[in-house]
């Protein structure tokens, strides 16, 4: 009536491998990590103490866990004890969650990129990627930080300025009292401190120590005693706090108190639709055939300033840069075009007005410089009404990163009586423009490339390259918030995610009939 069922009988075979299907993802992970040179892991293990778990085993366990949407070290340790796939790849060993977490966030900090490069190398050898096209894009992922414990750069500057005014006022009061007692030397020192252009905590500490020394011989001077107490207990600690916060901020405008490396950014996942800023990181990746070729992590919310450091990191890791870089309008600034030209890369990078230029409204807008004529020989612009704009002078602008932009300034000979003036400019006088000729040249080059047959095909393909990878990470594998804190550890998380994604993609391709037939 029933199939025989007993839990007390030994069953054969006992080898777990017989329960693993031939083309299962776990076998892809196993094969990929086995192909890595053992020497890669040597630097992560200085030696001494009890024997460690084999790094290849732990690497396989973590990568496979990330492919299965398991990111918590406790959940990974639980899977190693209970899940057949994890038992097989771990060789029935049972590392605890502390070992797993320490391995992925500390042991691997100097070798994970080497492992990523090793896996990428064998993907290239087997023709999954050829490192010719590099589709670049970024996404923001929320940090593991409290959303409401923030520090804003402008607030720090404002509060620090108020505090400095309080200190100067207090020292002015002390100085006046000192003068009444004809203590000229102390008066001179205090006045010098109060008039300083930049009051630092070191200067204030020195002044407070001097006041404390003066107070030792004037124990009955209650106003001085109160002033010293306020300086020592309140104003000096606050100034030190503001300086520490400014050091953490650097050139950022905010950071989270629970993860100081995280910056407050506007996320796409805005369910309340109130534009709430959340602590997060800007993850930049480059893909080819939807494999991740390079990744980097940034504290800036905008993509523009991320292109150069991202490609510099890719170059350092891979030893070279792919031949063609394809990116959207978020990267299309003069500084980025100049960098790509300097690196002799083929750039298919849109600029911010690329799509607007195609609209009828833009083409009929007489105020747009793109609709005017430029005579290079005479260095003269001619507007829609036929009025000439003559060169006046040249200026230079320096960006935050130190890049220098040269601009040429032109002014109309005369806009009086022009019937198009109201549609052209709001200025009361003659129309003036400032132009970066270098940026105009870059835009024209980008326009020609993007409108070519190959350029158009690559720009269309870009929409299904990194965007699909981000969709896989966030939606299909549910990774919407980092587990670790601090830029170095979060960068490692992105590395593990990238490794998991590439092996998942390889497994998916291998299971297609045409690929299986080739194998």
């Amino acid at each position: 009536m029933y199939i025989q069922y007993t839990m007390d009988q030994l069953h054969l075979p006992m080898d777990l491998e017989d329960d693993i299907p031939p083309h299962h993802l776990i076998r892809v992970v196993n094969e990929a990590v086995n192909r890595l040179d053992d020497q890669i892991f040597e630097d992560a293990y200085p030696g001494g103490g009890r024997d460690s778990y084999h790094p290849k085993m732990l690497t396989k366990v973590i990568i496979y866990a990330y492919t299965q949407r398991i990111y918590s070290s406790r959940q990974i340790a639980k899977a190693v004890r209970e899940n057949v796939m994890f038992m097989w790849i771990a060789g029935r060993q049972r590392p605890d969650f502390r070992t797993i977490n320490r391995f992925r966030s500390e042991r691997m900090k100097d070798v994970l990129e080497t492992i990523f490069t090793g896996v990428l190398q064998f993907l290239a050898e087997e023709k999954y990627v050829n490192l010719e096209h590099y589709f670049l894009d970024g996404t923001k992922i929320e940090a593991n930080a409290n959303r409401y414990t923030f520090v804003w750069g402008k607030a720090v500057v404002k509060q620090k300025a108020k505090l400095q005014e309080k200190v100067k006022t207090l020292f002015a009061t002390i100085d006046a009292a000192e003068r009444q007692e004809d203590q000229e030397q102390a008066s001179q020192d205090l006045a010098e401190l109060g008039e300083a252009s930049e009051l630092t905590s070191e200067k204030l500490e020195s002044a407070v120590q001097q006041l404390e020394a003066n107070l030792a011989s004037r124990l009955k001077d209650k106003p001085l005693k109160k002033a010293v107490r306020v300086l020592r207990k309140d104003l000096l600690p606050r100034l030190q706090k503001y300086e520490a916060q400014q050091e953490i901020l650097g050139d950022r405008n905010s950071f989270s108190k629970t993860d100081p490396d995280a910056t407050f950014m506007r996320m796409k996942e805005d369910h309340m639709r109130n534009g709430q800023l959340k602590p997060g990181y800007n993850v930049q990746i480059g893909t080819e055939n939807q494999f991740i070729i390079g990744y980097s992590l940034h504290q800036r919310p905008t993509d523009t300033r991320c292109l150069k450091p991202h490609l510099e990191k890719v170059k350092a890791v891979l030893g070279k840069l792919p031949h063609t870089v394809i990116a959207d309008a978020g990267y299309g600034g003069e500084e980025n075009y100049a960098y790509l030209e300097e690196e002799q890369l083929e750039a298919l990078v849109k600029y911010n007005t690329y799509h607007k230029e195609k609209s009828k409204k833009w083409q009929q807008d007489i105020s747009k410089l793109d609709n005017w004529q430029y005579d290079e020989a005479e260095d003269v612009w001619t507007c829609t009404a036929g009025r000439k704009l003559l060169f006046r002078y040249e200026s230079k602008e320096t960006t935050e990163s130190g890049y220098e932009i040269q601009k040429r300034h032109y002014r109309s000979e005369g806009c009086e009586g022009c019937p198009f003036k109201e549609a052209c400019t709001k200025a009361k006088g003659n129309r003036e423009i400032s132009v970066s000729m270098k940026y105009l040249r870059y835009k024209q080059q980008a326009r020609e490339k993007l409108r070519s047959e190959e350029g158009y095909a690559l720009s269309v393909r870009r929409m299904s390259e990194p965007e699909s990878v981000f969709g896989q990470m966030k939606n299909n594998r549910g990774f919407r918030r980092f587990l670790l804190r601090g830029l170095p550890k979060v960068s490692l998380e992105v590395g593990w995610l990238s490794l998991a994604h590439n092996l998942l993609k390889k497994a998916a391709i291998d299971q297609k009939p045409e690929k299986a037939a080739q194998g």
Side-chain angles (χ1 to χ4, degrees):
M1 184 176 181
Y2 300 111
I3 297 175
Q4 184 179 359
Y5 168 71
T6 176
M7 296 177 63
D8 300 323
Q9 182 176 344
L10 182 64
H11 292 272
L12 296 175
M14 297 179 64
D15 190 353
L16 291 176
E17 186 169 1
D18 293 334
D19 293 329
I20 312 295
H23 300 291
H24 196 277
L25 172 62
I26 196 78
R27 293 190 183 274
V28 176
V29 174
N30 184 55
E31 177 194 1
V33 178
N34 281 342
R35 291 177 66 163
L36 297 173
D37 189 347
D38 288 343
Q39 192 63 37
I40 293 175
F41 300 93
E42 292 299 321
D43 295 337
Y45 289 86
R50 58 170 292 184
D51 291 342
S52 303
Y53 286 107
H54 200 289
K56 280 191 174 181
M57 181 272 288
L58 292 171
T59 301
K60 294 174 187 177
V61 167
I62 294 173
I63 292 175
Y64 184 66
Y66 273 60
T67 66
Q68 302 303 299
R69 301 183 57 165
I70 303 175
Y71 307 114
S72 164
S73 57
R74 284 180 170 83
Q75 292 299 320
I76 296 173
K78 184 173 183 287
V80 169
R81 297 192 304 268
E82 299 177 354
N83 188 296
V84 172
M85 303 299 176
F86 281 93
M87 289 180 183
W88 176 72
I89 206 167
R92 292 191 184 257
Q93 295 180 1
R94 295 184 174 185
D96 62 17
F97 75 92
R98 292 184 184 87
T99 301
I100 293 170
N101 195 45
R102 185 165 57 249
F103 177 79
R104 72 171 172 180
S105 61
E106 296 177 16
R107 290 282 192 188
M108 299 298 287
K109 62 183 177 182
D110 296 324
V111 297
L112 187 61
E113 287 182 357
T114 308
I115 293 173
F116 177 82
T117 306
V119 172
L120 195 61
Q121 184 177 353
F122 94 73
L123 289 174
E125 290 171 356
E126 297 186 2
K127 307 301 180 185
Y128 290 93
V129 295
N130 53 30
L131 303 180
E132 282 295 316
H133 299 120
Y134 194 81
F135 298 89
L136 176 63
D137 204 356
T139 190
K140 300 177 187 67
I141 298 180
E142 189 175 351
N144 180 12
N146 191 314
R147 299 173 183 175
Y148 308 104
T149 56
F150 41 75
V151 174
W152 297 104
K154 289 182 179 179
V156 173
V157 172
K158 183 178 179 181
Q159 295 299 326
K160 184 180 177 183
K162 285 184 178 180
L163 185 142
Q164 288 179 333
E165 285 301 318
K166 285 184 179 180
V167 172
K168 290 179 181 180
T169 302
L170 183 59
F171 270 88
T173 303
I174 298 172
D175 187 38
E178 294 289 314
R179 285 181 181 178
Q180 289 179 3
E181 299 181 12
D182 293 326
Q183 295 186 3
E184 296 179 0
Q185 184 63 36
S187 174
Q188 184 180 353
D189 290 341
L190 296 177
E192 183 182 345
L193 174 70
E195 294 167 5
S197 58
E198 179 64 25
L199 175 60
T200 64
S201 59
E202 289 79 6
K203 290 180 181 179
L204 185 57
E205 172 68 35
S206 177
V208 172
Q209 289 178 359
Q210 178 187 334
L211 288 174
E212 289 173 337
N214 293 345
L215 186 62
S217 60
R218 298 160 55 194
L219 297 176
K220 295 183 179 181
D221 191 337
K222 292 185 178 180
L224 181 60
K225 184 183 294 185
K226 181 179 179 182
V228 170
R229 184 171 64 250
V230 170
L231 285 165
R232 175 63 70 185
K233 300 294 185 182
D234 180 28
L235 300 183
L236 179 58
R238 283 167 56 194
L239 182 58
Q240 291 170 337
K241 181 184 76 171
Y242 294 145
E243 288 178 347
Q245 288 175 344
Q246 285 185 316
E247 185 177 352
I248 294 171
L249 281 164
D251 58 355
R252 293 184 292 159
N253 61 1
S254 64
F255 71 85
S256 170
K257 291 181 180 179
T258 45
D259 183 359
D261 287 345
T263 306
F264 278 81
M265 307 176 181
R266 186 165 280 108
M267 306 284 179
K268 286 184 178 179
E269 294 81 8
D270 184 13
H271 305 296
M272 299 298 292
R273 297 183 182 179
N274 58 0
Q276 179 187 6
L277 299 177
K278 299 176 184 176
Y281 294 92
N282 190 346
V283 179
Q284 298 284 315
I285 65 167
T287 68
E288 185 184 50
N289 299 331
Q290 296 184 11
F291 285 92
I292 298 176
I293 307 299
Y295 64 88
S296 64
L297 207 69
H298 305 266
Q299 297 170 296
R300 293 186 168 276
T302 56
D303 293 335
T304 309
R305 289 278 303 280
C306 296
L307 181 138
K308 184 177 178 179
H310 172 81
L311 291 181
E312 286 293 325
K313 182 192 174 186
V314 173
K315 185 178 180 180
V317 172
L318 299 183
K320 66 173 185 176
L321 288 172
H323 180 260
T324 305
V325 175
I326 306 100
D328 65 11
Y331 301 89
E334 179 183 332
E335 185 175 355
N336 288 340
Y337 284 130
Y339 170 76
L340 292 168
E341 183 179 63
E342 183 183 334
E343 292 292 329
Q344 299 181 345
L345 299 174
E346 186 75 16
L348 287 170
V349 181
K350 297 176 183 177
Y351 46 91
N352 58 355
T353 59
Y354 176 74
H355 290 292
K356 291 180 181 179
E357 289 176 359
K358 298 178 182 179
S359 68
K360 187 175 181 180
K361 180 180 178 182
W362 182 281
Q363 294 170 359
Q364 294 179 346
D365 190 342
I366 63 172
S367 68
K368 300 299 182 186
L369 202 64
D370 297 318
N371 299 325
W372 294 6
Q373 297 295 323
Y374 176 66
D375 188 328
E376 188 175 356
E378 296 186 12
D379 192 18
V380 171
W381 288 88
T382 304
C383 71
T384 309
R387 309 288 175 100
K388 294 184 182 300
L389 287 86
L390 306 179
F391 172 74
R392 295 184 62 231
Y393 63 93
E394 196 170 61
S395 66
K396 294 181 180 179
E397 294 179 9
T398 305
T399 65
E400 292 181 17
S401 59
Y403 178 78
E404 195 173 82
I405 299 175
Q406 288 189 330
K407 288 195 172 183
R408 297 178 66 80
H409 295 256
Y410 300 81
R411 177 187 286 174
S412 172
E413 290 179 312
C415 294
E416 298 84 359
C418 177
F420 304 116
K421 184 176 180 181
E422 288 188 5
C424 180
T425 179
K426 294 180 180 179
K428 293 182 179 180
N430 295 328
R431 176 74 189 270
E432 295 187 21
I433 59 172
S434 62
V435 185
S436 169
M437 305 304 291
K438 194 174 183 180
Y439 187 39
L440 285 182
R441 176 174 66 84
Y442 287 140
K443 286 170 65 175
Q444 181 58 30
Q445 290 176 351
R447 192 181 293 117
E448 292 173 358
K449 291 176 183 177
L450 290 163
R451 291 178 181 176
S452 67
E453 186 177 347
E454 181 187 5
Y456 177 76
L458 287 172
S459 64
V460 170
R461 181 180 162 191
R462 188 204 67 81
M463 293 185 283
S464 62
E465 277 278 347
E467 295 287 353
S468 299
V469 174
F470 288 137
Q472 288 283 339
M473 284 185 178
K474 288 185 169 183
N475 296 328
N476 294 359
R477 294 200 288 283
F479 195 92
R480 295 180 176 274
R481 194 168 189 255
F482 289 110
L483 277 77
L484 305 178
R485 294 180 178 178
L487 191 62
K489 290 184 178 180
V490 173
S491 296
L492 287 173
E493 279 196 274
V494 177
W496 289 113
L497 278 170
S498 301
L499 277 168
H501 172 83
N502 284 351
L503 295 180
L504 265 170
K505 186 67 180 175
K506 179 183 182 300
I509 293 175
D510 289 346
Q511 290 176 5
K512 291 181 179 179
E514 58 270 21
K515 187 68 179 180
Q518 292 176 7

